[in-house]
Amino acid sequence: DAKTTQPTSMDCAEGRAANLPCNHSTISGNEYVYWYRQIHSQGPQYIIHGLKNNETNEMASLIITEDRKSSTLILPHATLRDTAVYYCIVRVLNSGGSNYKLTFGKGTLLTVNP
Amino acid sequence: NAGVTQTPKFQVLKTGQSMTLQCAQDMNHEYMSWYRQDPGMGLRLIHYSVGAGITDQGEVPNGYNVSRSTTEDFPLRLLSAAPSQTSVYFCASRTGTGITGELFFGEGSRLTVL
């Protein structure tokens, strides 16, 4: 799996957009970019994933550069409840394969301030 | 819909004792896995299963056993607990079909080995 690099921590003002970067310069053509987050003392929560195109759902937007070497997770209007560790993960998706694993790094601690 | 349920939420053991962490999911997911999370570190995969009767090792399997006799349950056994196994344990599952890639996590089991 391609390795990812994320900043250790970031701050964001409540109500503003939070833009979380992730570098994955060794990503291969069949690897997806996933984002999860972990609010303190809870289990990780899936946010979004994508391959090439930008993706949006009710939680966030995922912007993947054209060369796919980096991506940005955007929380459009951050709230205090978005304070969490955000994990960027790159993985081949085995939709019917013999195994499926995600490797979590240390992620980015996003602190949303009032 | 309960999702992924882990029991117990908290447990204190003495060195050498054995115990089982229970994990159950009601989403008919084929894939189930166990992670541990230690302070300052990301989640590390212990064991995983791609279906009833099939299990495999992850990154840190030593000291842990698993079995998968039903689709719903994936217990994690510590045969002889050691202080190094003090950690927060998360169980996760996902469907084996489709391409959503979403892992559903339980709320965690916090284990202390004295």
Side-chain angles (χ1 to χ4, degrees), chain A residues 10-71:
Chain A
M10 294 182 62
D11 286 330
C12 177
E14 187 178 19
R16 303 296 295 270
N19 297 283
L20 292 96
C22 180
N23 287 321
H24 30 79
S25 58
T26 60
I27 193 170
S28 60
N30 61 347
E31 289 184 307
Y32 284 71
V33 180
Y34 297 86
W35 284 84
Y36 282 75
R37 73 178 183 183
Q38 187 175 22
I39 297 170
H40 181 63
S41 297
Q42 298 183 18
Q45 176 190 25
Y46 166 83
I47 301 173
I48 199 167
H49 76 282
L51 182 63
K52 296 180 181 178
N53 300 320
N54 299 337
E55 302 288 344
T56 295
N57 62 19
E58 65 277 7
M59 290 182 67
S61 295
L62 174 60
I63 308 298
I64 302 174
T65 58
E66 191 169 345
D67 64 7
R68 302 208 325 121
K69 294 184 183 299
S70 66
S71 60

Side-chain angles (χ1 to χ4, degrees), chain A residues 32 34 36 38 41-46 49 87 93-106, chain B residues 31 35 37 40-43 45 48 50 57 59 90 94 96-103 105-107 110:
Chain A
Y32 284 71
Y34 297 86
Y36 282 75
Q38 187 175 22
S41 297
Q42 298 183 18
Q45 176 190 25
Y46 166 83
H49 76 282
Y87 298 98
L93 183 63
N94 294 326
S95 62
S98 61
N99 65 71
Y100 174 86
K101 298 180 285 188
L102 286 180
T103 302
F104 289 76
K106 296 185 180 181
Chain B
Y31 296 94
Y35 289 85
Q37 186 172 37
M41 300 185 71
L43 286 85
L45 182 64
Y48 65 96
V50 301
Q57 297 181 348
E59 302 173 69
F90 291 99
R94 74 168 286 256
T97 60
I99 59 171
T100 62
E102 178 178 357
L103 266 179
F105 283 84
E107 289 301 308
R110 287 151 183 80

Side-chain angles (χ1 to χ4, degrees), chain B residues 43-111:
Chain B
L43 286 85
R44 292 184 291 171
L45 182 64
I46 305 172
H47 284 286
Y48 65 96
S49 169
V50 301
I54 305 170
T55 63
D56 206 346
Q57 297 181 348
E59 302 173 69
V60 288
N62 293 338
Y64 307 95
N65 283 347
V66 291
S67 60
R68 185 93 180 272
S69 57
T70 67
T71 299
E72 295 78 18
D73 301 300
F74 190 44
L76 179 72
R77 298 183 183 85
L78 285 71
L79 298 179
S80 179
S84 61
Q85 293 179 303
T86 293
S87 189
V88 181
Y89 293 86
F90 291 99
C91 179
S93 73
R94 74 168 286 256
T95 182
T97 60
I99 59 171
T100 62
E102 178 178 357
L103 266 179
F104 292 84
F105 283 84
E107 289 301 308
S109 296
R110 287 151 183 80
L111 175 65

